[in-house]
Amino acid sequence: MAVIIDGKEVAREKREQIKARVEELKKQGKSVGLAVIIVGENPASRVYVNNKKKGCLEVGIESFEYALPESTTEEELKALVEKLNNDDRVNGILCQLPLPKHINEDAVINTISPEKDVDAFHPQNVGHIMIGDYTFLPCTPAGIMEMLKFYNISVSGKKCVVIGRSNIVGKPMAMLLLKENGTVEICHSRTENLKNETLSADILVAAVGKTKFVTEDMVKQGAVVIDVGMNRDEDGKLCGDVDFINVEKKASYITPVPGGVGPMTITMLLENTVRAVEK
Ligand code: NAP
């Protein structure tokens, strides 16, 4: 049976440290503020935004919410971002994705000042991640690296297989594992014979978005399995990409969903917001 990686516990400890840093900044007369923009009525986005606001409150970061109607134009949204770029109370700006179809997400992300881009999506920050010189950490992958560190799981020299190549998870995940000297492979929907690849993994990260995609026969005995997926099963219950019950028997460590990667993603957003002030 695998050790279950407790993302909530790692997040709790990390948030304590962040809270102390916020208090220290406040003693120096500096405020820490995060602006969160949400456009439209996507229920999942609403849950994420509420959790982000709750996280801010917990560590003493001031949050400013901008809830805009679905009909907001790209120009209006970019104008708001520009305004926040110039607002001294705001150290971090987050625009909850996805945006309505009529708005070009890249154009909006590119408008966020790289110094306030706490999601680390701006091309300038993506470039920093590529060269391993971080201003802001990519939240989900950075949260995963924190969990590995917390459980003393060494990456150096290990075969790491990441399933998924999105700009938000898969690609930056591969970069962070590489920085820690992992031997890294990225798989995707065109990968031939995926099982052959995943069976060689000492550390397997699943970021696919498909329920029970990673099955027991795809996992090497004793592998560390990180489940990034956030899906709904047929009963509407939150679940990951990994067939947890069966894979757990084979893995050495495994993250559950919920309670694994999710709590760490928001924690790293808080970390980036504090970094924005400390820098
Ligand atoms: P995404 O942009 O849809 O990317 C999914 C990736 O999976 C793509 O690279 C895709 O390959 C690959 N894929 C799809 N079918 C595959 C197959 N049959 N075999 C191999 N690879 C396949 O998703 P994402 O934004 O990275 O998110 C992935 C999951 O993580 C989602 O469930 C999302 O909700 C979750 N997530 C969780 C957190 C968190 O905090 N826990 C944060 C972000 C995302 P192609 O590129 O070839 O299409």
Side-chain angles (χ1 to χ4, degrees), residues 167-178:
N167 290 333
I168 295 173
V169 188
K171 282 185 208 162
M173 184 74 249
M175 287 302 128
L176 298 200
L177 290 165
L178 185 61

Side-chain angles (χ1 to χ4, degrees), residues 78-99:
K78 281 168 35 184
L80 172 62
V81 170
E82 293 285 11
K83 195 176 113 203
L84 296 172
N85 283 341
N86 295 311
D87 186 337
D88 289 341
R89 296 170 310 153
V90 172
N91 308 102
I93 302 170
L94 176 152
C95 190
Q96 186 65 47
L97 303 180
L99 290 169

